Amino acid sequence: MTTPEIPEPGEDIVFLPLVIHVVHSGEPLGTGPNLSLERIVRQIEILNEDFRRKEGSRGHNNDPDGGDTKIEFVLAKQTPEGKPTNGVNRIDTTQIKTRELGYNQTHYAQYAYWNPSQYINIWTTPLPESTECMVLGNATGPKTDLPGTEHLALPGPNDAEGILVNWIHFGESNIDCHARYGRTLTHEMGHYLGLLHTWGAKDCALNDYCDDTPAVDREVFGREAFKGCNGETVMIGNYMNYTHDDVMNIFTHDQIARMHYVLKNHTGRNALTRSIALKNP
């Protein structure tokens, strides 16, 4: 066997493998937290529409500062044991005893955790419906030499890494909340690949270390743009805001460059680009 050539970030399309750990409490398939396959597949389509700035989708924009990230996400084709999979791993929590470690990746890794150098672990968490529009998602970030990395949620030596998304906000739905079009995962994937919120550490001078995102020193919510630092209008549609799903539609060139720097220079993230999970067993 020959070693596959490593894609060159910024020139070729970089493919990254996902495993969706659907954590539920014994509900029938397609009910509540036990999400249907159709909803999961649609969520991954949305993720790719956003990252590829697909024309005709909500992820398209004509902003000269926006771009196609040339990153695509693929549901894993094989398990760590080399068995075929559709990339969805369903876990009935009523059949597994775990320690209570809080709402974090390390807690959910007790149910399932595939090698993070071969898979991006995503857990859909079975939170109660009362958490709708209150708890969306979170992600661990990569430790690199990029400025601002310390503002990401960096896992400790024994911590699991990956992305948590409240099942209510995974994929499209008709819930009565601004976060109903699947942009929670887009936002959290940005963090997983090294992006900060547009406001960074709420410092006008430093911000998110991306010069083409207008400087802002406070959190950006809602769907109406306002004046940020130096009277500059904030980029309300940026995926790294807390804005409404229906206005999110842009990663900037500097944000794209930052993600590709991570993919090229972070050992674990780079290994994902040539994972066994991208190939049929």
Side-chain angles (χ1 to χ4, degrees):
M1 295 181 62
T2 59
T3 303
E5 185 176 350
I6 301 172
E8 181 65 24
E11 295 180 7
D12 305 316
I13 305 302
V14 179
F15 294 94
L16 302 177
L18 312 175
V19 57
I20 313 300
H21 302 297
V22 179
V23 185
H24 62 91
S25 303
E27 294 89 352
L29 179 62
T31 303
N34 197 0
L35 299 168
S36 69
L37 180 59
E38 291 76 15
R39 182 161 165 174
I40 294 168
V41 169
R42 177 59 188 139
Q43 170 66 91
I44 308 312
E45 288 177 348
I46 293 167
L47 185 64
N48 284 324
E49 289 169 359
D50 292 349
F51 271 77
R52 294 303 313 278
R53 194 169 68 159
K54 184 178 179 181
E55 191 169 352
S57 76
R58 290 183 182 275
H60 185 255
N61 69 78
N62 292 312
D63 193 311
D65 287 323
D68 173 359
T69 71
K70 295 189 177 182
I71 300 170
E72 286 193 26
F73 301 91
V74 180
L75 286 166
K77 298 179 180 180
Q78 61 176 296
T79 69
E81 296 75 32
K83 297 180 180 179
T85 180
N86 61 2
V88 179
N89 181 36
R90 297 181 186 277
I91 304 146
D92 183 349
T93 61
T94 65
Q95 304 301 311
I96 303 174
K97 291 184 178 180
T98 61
R99 294 176 295 154
E100 181 52 58
L101 300 178
Y103 189 71
N104 55 54
Q105 285 76 3
T106 302
H107 174 78
Y108 285 96
Q110 295 178 102
Y111 296 115
Y113 187 43
W114 294 8
N115 184 346
S117 292
Q118 298 293 310
Y119 305 85
I120 299 176
N121 286 271
I122 299 172
W123 295 269
T124 61
T125 56
L127 298 179
E129 292 186 8
S130 60
T131 63
E132 178 184 308
C133 234
M134 297 175 60
V135 180
L136 304 185
N138 67 60
T140 58
K143 185 176 182 180
T144 68
D145 60 356
L146 285 170
T149 292
E150 68 275 12
H151 301 307
L152 295 169
L154 302 176
N158 299 312
D159 292 338
E161 60 176 281
I163 298 173
L164 303 182
V165 179
N166 185 344
W167 70 273
I168 303 168
H169 297 284
F170 195 86
E172 291 177 308
S173 70
N174 58 1
I175 60 173
D176 185 19
C177 175
H178 64 84
R180 61 177 179 271
Y181 296 126
R183 266 44 195 286
T184 297
L185 182 56
T186 303
H187 177 98
E188 299 303 340
M189 190 63 73
H191 286 318
Y192 190 80
L193 295 178
L195 298 186
L196 307 178
H197 293 127
T198 59
W199 52 89
K202 300 182 180 180
D203 183 320
C204 281
L206 301 177
N207 243 260
D208 63 348
Y209 301 91
C210 293
D211 291 340
D212 54 7
T213 59
V216 59
D217 58 358
R218 58 189 173 98
E219 296 173 349
V220 182
F221 292 95
R223 58 196 326 275
E224 298 296 330
F226 59 88
K227 301 294 184 181
C229 300
N230 305 315
E232 195 173 8
T233 302
V234 301
M235 184 178 281
I236 195 71
N238 197 282
Y239 291 117
M240 301 315 296
N241 293 328
Y242 288 153
T243 42
H244 290 192
D245 275 16
D246 63 349
V247 301
M248 286 185 173
N249 73 344
I250 186 171
F251 284 121
T252 67
H253 297 298
D254 285 354
Q255 287 177 317
I256 293 167
R258 188 177 175 102
M259 288 190 281
H260 280 288
Y261 182 92
V262 167
L263 287 171
K264 192 170 185 178
N265 294 282
H266 184 276
T267 301
R269 301 296 191 269
N270 181 266
L272 291 166
T273 66
R274 45 188 197 281
S275 167
I276 60 168
L278 295 169
K279 297 184 176 183
N280 292 317

